[in-house]
């Protein structure tokens, strides 16, 4: 399994880095869109017991909405998306008792659009326009670094100190200590880059946005875990050998990226203008 994970990562890494640093906005939007469409195909299978035709139709609708989002640039959507994630938090906290209210194909179809379209739009926006005084590709990688640092910190803090379950009915392996360790490491990374003089931003608004972003990344992970558990899936798919599905790889990003961009807008940080 570890060998498969390493091989898959080595194949994907140059593709992702090449796209982030080498492509213009339209080309990058297409390449990133392929990853998100694949995640959408997996999400459609998680919506419930639906026919192949319905699954294909939903993925086609997803692609149309993504194109529309890129064409119209609905700033209101990215600014309002945190409201959806507050609702998602309520769903996670209330699971499994509330599942009968929301686990329905029609509602899950809408939720899938809320998960994938704003996150893809935020990724494209950051790669193209940049943020915090960083050029587009570096701005995108910097915010992804927050998520990766949070994941890394959560893993090691959870293994070392983890005693109190974070959401035992959703993801039994996650602990409160792991979450705190992940947040701490991510904020240390942000503060370190700021101290190096590489950013154009005020420290405290930046730290608040980073805090909200890494908390959102954890919520995105929990939300996907909840839906998989309700559907009876271990992984969202098998497209990435050793890693599971595409959605399994970007679940944290679905929440983190739009929250980061909305935070830049709210706190008037560079890169927040849509």
């Amino acid at each position: 399994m570890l060998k498969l994970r390493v091989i898959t990562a080595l194949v994907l890494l140059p593709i992702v880095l090449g796209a982030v640093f080498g492509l213009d906005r339209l080309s990058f939007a297409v390449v990133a869109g392929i990853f998100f469409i694949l995640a959408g195909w997996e999400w459609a299978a998680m919506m419930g017991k639906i026919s192949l035709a319905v699954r294909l139709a939903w993925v086609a609708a997803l692609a149309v909405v993504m194109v529309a989002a890129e064409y119209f640039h609905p700033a209101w959507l990215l600014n309002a998306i945190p409201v959806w994630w507050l609702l998602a938090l309520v769903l996670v906290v209330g699971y499994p008792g509330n599942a009968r209210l929301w686990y329905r194909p029609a509602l899950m179809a809408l939720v899938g659009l809320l998960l994938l379209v704003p996150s893809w739009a935020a990724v494209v926006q950051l790669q193209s326009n940049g943020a915090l005084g960083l050029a587009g590709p570096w701005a995108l990688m910097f915010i992804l670094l927050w998520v990766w640092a949070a994941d890394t910190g959560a893993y090691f803090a959870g293994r070392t100190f983890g005693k109190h379950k974070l959401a035992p009915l959703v993801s039994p392996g996650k602990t409160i200590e792991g979450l705190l360790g992940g947040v701490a490491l991510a904020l240390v990374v942000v503060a370190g880059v700021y101290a190096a003089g590489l950013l154009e931003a005020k420290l405290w608004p930046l730290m608040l946005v980073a805090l909200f972003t890494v908390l959102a990344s954890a919520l995105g992970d929990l939300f996907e875990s909840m839906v998989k558990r309700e559907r009876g899936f271990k992984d969202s798919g098998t497209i990435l050998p050793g890693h599971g599905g595409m959605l399994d790889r970007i679940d944290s990003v679905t929440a983190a990226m739009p929250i980061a961009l909305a935070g830049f807008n709210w706190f008037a940080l560079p890169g927040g203008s849509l």
Side-chain angles (χ1 to χ4, degrees):
M1 181 63 73
L2 178 60
K3 182 179 179 180
L4 277 176
R5 290 176 68 90
V6 172
I7 292 173
T8 301
L10 290 176
V11 171
L12 285 177
L13 188 61
I15 296 174
V16 172
L17 292 179
V20 170
F21 286 95
L23 298 181
D24 60 18
R25 180 178 182 123
L26 179 59
S27 300
F28 177 77
V30 170
V31 173
I34 292 171
F35 284 89
F36 277 80
I37 290 293
L38 290 172
W41 175 253
E42 295 169 352
W43 177 264
M46 293 164 55
M47 294 193 306
K49 295 180 180 180
I50 60 176
S51 67
L52 178 61
V54 172
R55 189 177 177 187
L56 288 169
W58 185 84
V59 172
L62 171 64
V64 170
V65 175
M66 289 168 65
V67 171
E70 175 62 12
Y71 183 79
F72 291 106
H73 299 294
W76 63 268
L77 177 60
L78 286 174
N79 282 319
I81 203 64
V83 176
W84 148 246
W85 283 108
L86 287 175
L87 175 59
L89 176 60
V90 172
L91 298 182
V92 169
V93 171
Y95 182 81
N98 59 16
R100 61 185 178 83
L101 300 176
W102 56 263
Y103 192 68
R104 306 173 185 183
L107 285 178
M108 298 306 289
L110 175 60
V111 168
L113 297 179
L114 291 172
L115 285 177
L116 296 171
V117 177
S119 53
W120 171 79
V123 166
V124 173
Q125 177 75 12
L126 287 166
Q127 190 271 350
S128 173
N129 290 11
L132 306 175
L134 299 172
W138 291 107
L140 177 57
M141 296 304 295
F142 181 47
I143 298 169
L144 286 173
L145 181 61
W146 303 359
V147 177
W148 297 332
D151 286 346
T152 302
Y155 175 77
F156 286 106
R159 288 196 62 178
T160 306
F161 306 108
K163 293 182 180 179
H164 302 89
K165 299 296 184 182
L166 178 63
L169 297 178
V170 174
S171 185
K174 291 182 173 58
T175 64
I176 294 174
E177 292 83 0
L179 175 64
L180 294 176
V183 169
L185 181 58
L187 294 181
V188 167
V189 168
V190 174
V193 175
Y194 178 87
L198 301 176
L199 305 176
E200 295 177 7
K202 294 181 179 179
L203 179 59
W204 292 112
L206 174 62
M207 295 294 278
L208 281 175
V209 172
L211 174 62
F212 293 147
T213 299
V214 297
L215 289 175
S217 73
L219 176 58
D221 191 347
L222 286 172
F223 187 82
E224 195 222 345
S225 295
M226 178 183 70
V227 176
K228 287 190 298 185
R229 182 171 293 272
E230 185 63 22
R231 186 68 173 92
F233 287 1
K234 181 180 182 295
D235 297 315
S236 66
T238 58
I239 193 171
L240 300 176
H243 291 263
M246 186 64 69
L247 191 57
D248 292 324
R249 295 304 96 208
I250 67 168
D251 53 6
S252 298
V253 172
T254 59
M257 286 301 169
I259 292 296
L261 197 54
F264 294 158
N265 279 319
W266 292 351
F267 290 98
L269 292 169
S273 176
L274 294 172

